[in-house]
Amino acid sequence: MMKVVIVAILALATTLVSAYDPSPLQDFCVAMNNTDSAVFVNGKFCKDPTLVTANDFFFSGLNIPGNTAANKVGSNVTLVNVDKLPGLNTLGISLARLDFAPYGLNPPHTHPRGTELLVVIEGTLLVGFVTSNPNKLFTKVLNKGDVFVFPIGLIHFQFNIGQTNAVAFAGLSSQNPGVITIANAVFGSNPPINPDVLSKAFQLDKNVVEYLQKQF
């Protein structure tokens, strides 16, 4: 019986580990796009180590504020993931700069493949995340130097409640954490979700649903 329990625990641990970015089996695996191969890999193809340079591990530009006027929510996220920094491949980490106009919002969203650790550099942010059912909200007001963590896969948000610009940086536990913005996914999917489905799910008039879909 004890052997069965141990095997079950090891199987569960293996399953949990495989849910995250795999551990590297070498010092590095600089990403490259190889269109000549039809083999799919969970990540990026590795560049020949003899051709790797310091620039493969380098990114410049996070000192530059993002354009918060380019969208209706007044925020901008500059993500440095494996597509921007090839040296991140297989290392299980990425970085983002978040800029907020006064009362700017990074709307409710989720990262399906990464936990997020946020630190406020300037300004005051109202942040929070919602658990899986029964959907408990954990929220906090953050000031300069404060840190908050958003667990992997949970819906979360950041809102600038100050009258000045705000800046934050976030580390994510995946080279490619992904992002699903809830409103965009629900009302702006392509092709669109049947309005009858959304009308019943949100208890809204069908005309309201169709109006919201047009906004996205």
Side-chain angles (χ1 to χ4, degrees), residues 75-97:
S75 70
N76 183 281
V77 177
T78 305
L79 177 64
V80 184
N81 63 3
V82 67
D83 295 324
K84 300 278 187 66
L85 184 55
L88 288 176
N89 197 38
T90 75
L91 299 185
I93 193 170
S94 56
L95 181 69
R97 171 177 174 145

Side-chain angles (χ1 to χ4, degrees), residues 128-210:
F129 67 85
V130 179
T131 67
S132 53
N133 293 347
N135 307 131
K136 182 176 180 179
L137 172 66
F138 290 87
T139 185
K140 189 80 173 174
V141 173
L142 305 183
N143 295 298
K144 182 177 179 179
D146 290 342
V147 176
F148 199 83
V149 63
F150 305 97
I152 184 172
L154 298 186
I155 295 174
H156 60 282
F157 61 88
Q158 298 100 17
F159 179 49
N160 181 6
I161 58 175
Q163 298 181 6
T164 61
N165 292 338
V167 181
F169 283 86
L172 298 115
S173 64
S174 170
Q175 68 183 41
N176 187 25
V179 61
I180 302 172
T181 305
I182 306 306
N184 296 44
V186 173
F187 295 106
S189 65
N190 185 21
I193 298 174
N194 187 314
D196 291 329
V197 172
L198 298 181
S199 177
K200 191 160 190 175
F202 290 96
Q203 296 295 291
L204 295 172
D205 185 271
K206 186 176 179 180
N207 291 329
V208 174
V209 170
E210 291 175 342

Side-chain angles (χ1 to χ4, degrees), residues 20-109:
Y20 298 88
D21 289 356
S23 298
L25 300 178
Q26 61 283 322
D27 288 342
F28 54 79
C29 172
V30 173
M32 64 176 297
N33 294 318
N34 188 342
T35 57
D36 296 329
S37 175
V39 178
F40 177 81
V41 294
N42 185 20
K44 298 280 189 177
F45 291 100
C46 298
K47 189 175 184 178
D48 185 338
T50 63
L51 302 178
V52 170
T53 69
N55 283 335
D56 290 315
F57 304 95
F58 173 77
F59 177 89
S60 180
L62 283 188
N63 61 311
I64 302 172
N67 182 7
T68 59
N71 57 66
K72 296 179 180 180
V73 295
S75 70
N76 183 281
V77 177
T78 305
L79 177 64
V80 184
N81 63 3
V82 67
D83 295 324
K84 300 278 187 66
L85 184 55
L88 288 176
N89 197 38
T90 75
L91 299 185
I93 193 170
S94 56
L95 181 69
R97 171 177 174 145
L98 293 79
D99 289 279
F100 301 85
Y103 306 109
L105 171 70
N106 190 14
H109 62 282

Side-chain angles (χ1 to χ4, degrees), residues 1-11:
M1 176 63 72
M2 182 59 68
K3 290 183 178 180
V4 174
V5 172
I6 293 174
V7 170
I9 292 174
L10 289 174

